[in-house]
Amino acid sequence: MSAKINAVKGMNDLLPGAVGRWQELEALAREVFALYGYREVRTPVVEPAALYSRGVGEQTDIVSKEMYVFEDKGEDRLALRPEGTAGTIRAFIEHGAFVDGPQKWFYMGPMFRRERPQKGRYRQFHQIGVEAFGIAEPALDAEQIAMVEDWLSRLGVKTTLKLNSVGDPACRPAYLADLTAWLTERAGQLCADCRERTAKNPLRVLDCKVPTCQPVLQSAPRLLDRLCDPCRVHFDAVRAGLDALGVAYLVEPRLVRGLDYYVRTAYEFTSDALGAQSAVAGGGRYDGLVETLGGPPTPGIGFALGAERLALILEALGRPIPVRRPLVFLVAADEAGAAAVLKLSSDLRKAGVACDLDARGGKLARQFKQAERVAARFALVLGSAEVAAGEGKLKDMTTRQETPVKLAGLAAHLREAAT
Ligand code: HAM
């Protein structure tokens, strides 16, 4: 045997036994998003690298450290998408979608970040996200946040919603200058990462998880106390909207997000079931971003959820993985039976009945073993006697009970038995 080749570190296979969970959460996302007027968009996984340096921010960890970038045979510098917002906006602008007024879009698919893999953190991971364009009013923020909550609670997932305002270009620069000065004064008490970020991206310092930095940062000046009037009014209205919708939240003044594009509303859904990587979903407003990426001034707000993290929570909750199983397994007793099961399986499938058979034929015991492996609900043995009589015995694989059935009209009989 040749040496085996394994998957790339931090990139996971999702085998058929686990995929049912993903199908469930994706199907529910589609259903819930449609209830709120979001329509699906699909964009490439590869984009010009410049899209992210301009869109997500040159100084962010995502762009400066974690992006997979490569040369396309001496042409463009390309990147595997590290997130979905920038590409969605590129498509929104490129196709002139803004002429159609406000739009609500959603997407699901793989994203790539060269992070250190650990539980809940991978190099290829999957996001399910939405972007809503063209509405600056806070009612949209509240509606979108409530939608995430609606989706998660339908899955039985309890999360904490953290809410903050990160201000806008009117109020943030003065705050950032003060914060930088405050952090510089305390540089000696902060970790090396914090010191580096003080100069490059001071807001991110607030997010530092190092235990010795935490108590120092507790008393850092808060942007929430320094919001300009329009940002304050917006934040209060988002809160009022969430209150009216009965969505509980925690105001978290130190919530900053790892991407530079946010203004005003920033939010995150976290779960204790996840350990260190507690953020299940995160998002916020990015009112200047469409313009930064070459489009007309268009407000926007979106979020993305990490599908792996949601799957981990569902697993921790012990939620069973939905399985699709054949309603009936056709077993061939002899040569006439083998021909009959092939034809009957085709008829049943055309009639919408999920069925399976062991194309190897052979011993009955082995065929029954296969019927058990695929968790078939019923089994039906066909041999020359059954074919001649036009009827057989339908075996319930759980109770082991056998019932005589006519082969003509089997599909209808099975559907009835299944209910
Ligand atoms: P983000 O917070 O970087 O935001 O990612 C959103 C979610 O993706 C996280 O909450 C987490 O569940 C998941 N995630 C991120 N990195 C990893 C990883 N390495 N492994 C597993 N899961 C991960 C964004 O990406 C923004 N584009 C969200 C957004 C949309 N903002 C506005 N619109």
Side-chain angles (χ1 to χ4, degrees), residues 56 62 66 82-86 107 111-113 115-116 118 120-127 129-131 144 257-259 261-262 268-269 274 277-286 301-310:
V56 174
I62 296 175
E66 297 164 2
E83 59 99 57
T85 308
Y107 51 85
M111 308 290 160
F112 304 85
R113 295 183 193 174
E115 299 194 73
R116 204 160 39 79
Q118 62 180 80
R121 190 164 73 189
Y122 311 103
R123 290 181 171 177
Q124 174 177 307
F125 59 99
H126 296 76
Q127 284 188 345
V130 312
E131 312 296 346
Q144 183 176 97
R257 309 257 311 115
L259 308 96
Y261 46 63
Y262 294 110
E268 232 165 55
F269 284 83
L274 286 172
Q277 306 305 317
S278 65
V280 195
R285 242 185 204 284
Y286 45 78
I301 177 168
F303 83 93
L305 169 140
E308 282 80 1
R309 294 188 189 173
L310 181 53

Side-chain angles (χ1 to χ4, degrees), residues 156-174:
V157 171
K158 288 199 179 51
T159 48
T160 304
L161 165 59
K162 295 176 178 163
L163 184 70
N164 192 17
S165 173
V166 293
D168 71 1
C171 51
R172 195 159 44 198

Side-chain angles (χ1 to χ4, degrees), residues 380-394 403-408:
L380 177 67
V381 181
L382 293 188
S384 46
E386 286 79 9
V387 173
E391 69 172 64
K393 287 199 191 103
L394 190 65
T403 332
V405 281
K406 294 249 179 291
L407 300 187

Side-chain angles (χ1 to χ4, degrees), residues 30 35 67 73 100 116 142 144 151 169 189 207 237 240 247 266 277 280 284 305 322 349-350 365 395:
R30 289 176 193 285
L35 290 175
M67 209 156 64
K73 297 250 161 76
D100 294 327
R116 204 160 39 79
Q144 183 176 97
W151 172 30
Q189 296 162 259
D207 204 26
V247 177
Q277 306 305 317
V280 195
L305 169 140
R349 288 166 182 150
K350 282 181 188 143
K395 180 174 182 178

Side-chain angles (χ1 to χ4, degrees), residues 165-174 223 227-228 230-231 262-264 287:
S165 173
V166 293
D168 71 1
C171 51
R172 195 159 44 198
L223 179 48
L227 294 180
C228 57
C231 284
Y262 294 110
V263 294
R264 298 192 172 162
D287 290 347

Side-chain angles (χ1 to χ4, degrees), residues 325-328 353-354 377-378 394 396 410-419:
R325 49 188 202 149
L327 188 51
V328 65
V353 172
R377 176 97 187 264
F378 298 102
L394 190 65
D396 186 313
L410 180 64
H413 178 92
L414 280 167
R415 272 201 293 259
E416 194 151 313
T419 53

